């Protein structure tokens, strides 16, 4: 049993794509599925015209804004070079694209073992990519870099490499170097074998692009100067020490790099091969006391995302768990570490966009959605004895604060219920104080769109009309009881208790904070950092 389990673990790769909106994440997801023969033609998952709405349309808001709020996981088999009968199992965990949902993305990143940083060749590093990269760095997640849209004019390879090295201190070590400048994508130099992979375009990029593998001599004959340039630049990188080194990659110091066009399906197979060859298989995790739970130990999992209202006909609530150890069998009764209560897993599902299927068996690295898991919140642990409890997922420092009011007094009871539910899902942070009272909690968020999710869901799921009223605060500090008394006397400062019991002082701006800190140096005012454990 245990060696079969170890084998299942070894053939799994669980990763997320981090990118700035429009860099091509949806197109790449589709291209990966196409290569894994999950779909026979690009367009099947996202469909060009309806792409944004078909991936996930659990809310009208997503459709209206063309964003995806819900995080889901796509699982597919991929037979890599050298695989015998047993293919690899790839779990691609989807991340919300909009910066306002960074906190969700952060939670998703706790569930993966590697990240693919997707960069638009013309735009280079963009703000959201940078932010997400910092999260990966903090969590020690190894990063593979893909320069996308090489079929369109953009920067030179060396410019992009320099930019990444200088701005984020991550050293790219290209594995597949482009032959032809951005906008004239002919193929890739495989820096490990020295061979040339020539791609042929298919109509509209709808099918896997045929590849022709050639020797260096044949490549020179065919591509002339373009080949020589690629070779010279590759040699330059070797001289600078920018060849792949597995240890440095796993340590987060270097990043294997691939040039690609998700639209034309160039470089996509190379990405899959790289994931299989270099990305780490699921590994054990330390619990709150630092004790390791190994992948082959009895079942345990971490809930990283809770989502309700995805299916308007069912109005259910799904908790997504990432399996950390052991085998999961649908129907088994596990324990919820936070409450000590048993939890039946009869309704276990795999979810991607609208599609759901029952999951009967799953292994470490896999993502399983548990239906109507009302008691589960992000960061919670589920296990089979012996007990294990993983560290909680830290929350982001909020930057937007609004009062939420219920418009009809007779709906107060539903309002409370709704507020509790959204709070436990981690949709926003909920702050309260005696002055404002229970009927008017203050919501704290990383991005204002999170507030819209609250009012929209209040209406659609609980039939409660609410109004959001932005408050003039822009930053929060953690404080204690002692300091709170003095802080409430200060102008432009208000103290709240968050649901988890933390005391937070809100300030109108950083100058107000600086002033208070200067006048009262003894007060406890600790920054809330996204990445603090
Ligand atoms: P996202 O999920 O990261 O937001 O990006 P998405 O895949 O939606 O891609 C954003 C735009 O970039 C799309 O164009 C898409 O077709 C295009 N794109 C993605 N990958 C490539 C690539 O490798 N090469 C080129 N040339 N374009 C690429 P759009 O005009 O917004 O949509 P559509 O009309 O093409 O559907």
């Amino acid at each position: 049993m245990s060696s079969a389990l170890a084998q299942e673990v070894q053939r799994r790769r669980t990763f997320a794509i981090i990118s700035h909106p429009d860099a091509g994440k949806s197109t790449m997801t589709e291209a990966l599925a196409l290569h894994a023969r999950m779909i026979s033609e690009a367009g099947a998952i996202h469909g060009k015209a309806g792409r944004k709405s078909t991936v996930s349309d659990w809310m009208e808001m997503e459709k209206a804004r063309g964003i995806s709020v819900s995080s889901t996981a796509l699982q597919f088999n991929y037979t890599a070079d050298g695989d015998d009968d047993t293919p690899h199992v790839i779990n691609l965990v989807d991340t919300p694209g909009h910066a306002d949902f960074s906190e969700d993305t952060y939670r998703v990143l706790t569930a993966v073992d590697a990240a693919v940083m997707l960069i638009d060749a013309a735009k280079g590093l963009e703000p959201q990519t940078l932010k997400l990269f910092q999260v990966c760095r903090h969590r020690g997640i190894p990063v593979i870099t893909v320069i996308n849209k090489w079929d369109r004019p953009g920067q030179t390879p060396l410019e992009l490499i320099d930019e990444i090295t200088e701005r984020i201190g991550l050293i790219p070590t290209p594995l597949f170097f482009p032959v032809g400048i951005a906008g004239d994508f002919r193929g890739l130099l495989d820096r490990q074998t020295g061979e040339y992979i020539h791609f042929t375009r298919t109509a509209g990029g709808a099918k896997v692009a045929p590849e022709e593998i050639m020797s260096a001599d044949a490549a020179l004959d065919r591509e002339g100067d373009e080949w020589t340039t690629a070779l010279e630049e590759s040699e330059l990188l070797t001289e600078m020490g920018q060849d792949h080194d597995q240890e440095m990659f796993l340590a987060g110091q270097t990043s294997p790099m691939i040039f690609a066009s998700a639209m034309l399906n160039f470089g996509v197979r190379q990405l899959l091969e790289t994931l299989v060859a270099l990305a780490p298989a699921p590994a054990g995790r330390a619990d709150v006391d630092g004790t390791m739970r190994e992948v082959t130990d009895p079942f345990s999992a971490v809930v990283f995302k809770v989502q309700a209202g995805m299916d308007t006909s069912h109005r259910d609530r799904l908790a997504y768990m990432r399996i950390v150890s052991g085998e999961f069998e649908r129907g088994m009764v596990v324990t919820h570490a936070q409450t000590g209560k048993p939890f039946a897993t009869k309704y276990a599902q795999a979810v991607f966009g609208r599609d759901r299927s029952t999951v009967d068996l799953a292994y470490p690295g896999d993502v399983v959605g548990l239906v109507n898991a009302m008691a589960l919140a992000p960061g919670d642990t589920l296990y089979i004895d012996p007990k294990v409890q993983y560290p909680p997922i830290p929350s982001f420092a909020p930057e937007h604060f609004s009062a939420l009011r219920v418009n009809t007094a007779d709906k107060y009871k539903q309002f409370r219920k709704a507020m509790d539910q959204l709070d436990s899902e981690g949709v926003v942070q909920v702050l309260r104080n005696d002055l404002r009272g229970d009927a008017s909690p203050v919501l704290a968020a990383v991005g204002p769109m999170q507030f819209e999710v609250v009012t929209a869901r209040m209406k659609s799921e609980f039939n409660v009309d609410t109004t959001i009223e932005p408050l003039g605060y822009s930053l929060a500090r953690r404080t204690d009881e002692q300091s709170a008394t003095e802080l409430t006397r200060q102008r432009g400062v208000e103290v709240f208790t968050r649901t988890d019991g933390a005391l937070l002082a809100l300030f109108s701006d950083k100058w107000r904070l600086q002033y208070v800190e200067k006048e009262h140096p003894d007060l406890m005012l600790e920054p809330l950092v996204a990445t603090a454990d």
Side-chain angles (χ1 to χ4, degrees), residues 497-503:
T497 307
R498 195 167 61 186
T499 311
D500 64 357
L503 280 179

Side-chain angles (χ1 to χ4, degrees), residues 217-359:
D217 289 343
L220 180 64
D221 274 353
R222 182 170 186 140
E223 308 295 359
D225 282 353
E226 304 295 342
W227 173 255
T228 312
T229 305
L231 265 191
E232 282 172 3
E233 293 187 352
S234 166
E235 276 162 21
L236 192 70
L237 288 169
T238 302
E239 274 166 35
M240 296 194 304
Q242 283 175 256
D243 291 337
H244 174 70
D245 178 305
Q246 185 67 7
E247 254 173 60
M248 286 177 80
F249 160 54
L250 295 180
Q253 290 165 339
T254 62
S255 177
M257 188 188 236
I258 300 163
F259 290 77
S261 165
M263 197 181 76
L264 299 180
N265 290 303
F266 289 10
V268 179
R269 186 182 70 84
Q270 285 68 25
L271 171 58
L272 283 164
E273 291 292 333
T274 302
L275 279 165
V276 165
L278 308 181
R285 255 185 216 202
D287 70 3
V288 274
D289 305 320
T291 313
M292 279 304 284
R293 181 87 155 195
E294 301 299 342
V295 281
T296 46
D297 285 342
F299 169 83
S300 71
V302 177
V303 175
F304 64 92
K305 168 101 188 155
V306 175
Q307 182 127 64
M310 286 176 69
D311 187 336
T312 38
S313 55
H314 291 101
R315 297 241 173 280
D316 54 1
R317 167 165 155 157
L318 266 144
Y320 293 97
M321 62 173 178
R322 138 102 196 207
I323 299 175
V324 178
S325 64
E327 187 179 89
F328 171 79
E329 250 181 275
R330 188 168 65 85
M332 73 189 198
V333 179
V334 299
T335 309
H336 178 212
Q338 274 65 19
T339 57
K341 289 192 178 146
F343 184 89
T345 59
K346 190 169 163 206
Y347 300 104
Q349 297 188 330
V351 184
F352 192 76
R354 274 183 166 179
D355 300 331
R356 294 184 178 199
S357 54
T358 300
V359 174

Side-chain angles (χ1 to χ4, degrees), residues 10-262:
Q10 280 316 311
R11 70 190 188 102
R12 277 171 164 72
R13 298 292 180 272
T14 301
F15 77 105
I17 299 178
I18 57 170
S19 63
H20 195 84
D22 267 359
K25 186 159 65 88
S26 317
T27 312
M28 183 56 91
T29 301
E30 188 171 286
L32 290 166
L34 179 72
H35 277 256
R37 310 258 182 274
M38 234 190 120
I39 52 174
S40 57
E41 228 170 81
I45 295 186
H46 304 124
K48 224 176 177 190
R51 173 161 43 90
K52 304 273 185 187
S53 58
T54 48
V55 180
S56 154
D57 61 353
W58 67 281
M59 269 180 65
E60 288 301 317
M61 190 184 120
E62 288 193 320
K63 269 194 267 182
R65 298 210 176 226
I67 53 165
S68 151
V69 180
S70 31
S71 297
T72 44
L74 178 67
Q75 185 182 69
F76 53 85
N77 286 345
Y78 176 69
T79 308
D81 280 355
D83 274 358
D84 38 33
D85 300 342
T86 330
H88 277 79
V89 178
I90 312 281
N91 292 304
L92 167 52
V93 189
D94 190 23
T95 52
H98 198 281
D100 279 14
F101 301 105
S102 304
E103 189 152 26
D104 277 347
T105 305
Y106 184 85
R107 293 183 189 131
V108 168
L109 289 174
T110 65
V112 301
D113 304 311
V116 168
M117 177 163 79
L118 192 70
I119 294 174
D120 182 324
K123 296 190 177 143
L125 282 172
E126 294 179 87
Q128 180 71 351
T129 332
L130 277 175
K131 203 165 172 178
L132 295 170
F133 168 74
Q134 300 300 357
V135 175
C136 291
R137 164 165 287 168
H138 185 266
R139 295 202 59 88
I141 300 169
V143 174
I144 293 168
T145 302
V146 172
I147 303 293
N148 189 33
K149 307 196 185 180
W150 200 254
D151 60 293
R152 281 219 305 231
Q155 305 182 43
T156 69
L158 297 183
E159 271 167 359
L160 286 157
I161 290 169
D162 269 359
E163 187 189 355
I164 294 169
T165 314
E166 275 163 27
R167 288 185 59 196
I168 60 178
L170 180 73
I171 302 168
T173 53
L175 303 171
F176 297 94
F177 202 79
V179 176
I181 57 167
D184 179 24
F185 197 175
R186 303 185 184 188
L188 290 168
L189 158 64
D190 181 338
R191 292 185 70 221
Q192 271 156 333
T193 63
E195 287 169 330
Y196 174 48
I197 306 155
H198 174 78
F199 296 107
T200 304
R201 286 181 184 228
T202 62
K207 301 255 190 231
V208 170
E211 292 181 7
E212 204 180 328
I213 314 272
M214 298 182 195
S215 68
D217 289 343
L220 180 64
D221 274 353
R222 182 170 186 140
E223 308 295 359
D225 282 353
E226 304 295 342
W227 173 255
T228 312
T229 305
L231 265 191
E232 282 172 3
E233 293 187 352
S234 166
E235 276 162 21
L236 192 70
L237 288 169
T238 302
E239 274 166 35
M240 296 194 304
Q242 283 175 256
D243 291 337
H244 174 70
D245 178 305
Q246 185 67 7
E247 254 173 60
M248 286 177 80
F249 160 54
L250 295 180
Q253 290 165 339
T254 62
S255 177
M257 188 188 236
I258 300 163
F259 290 77
S261 165

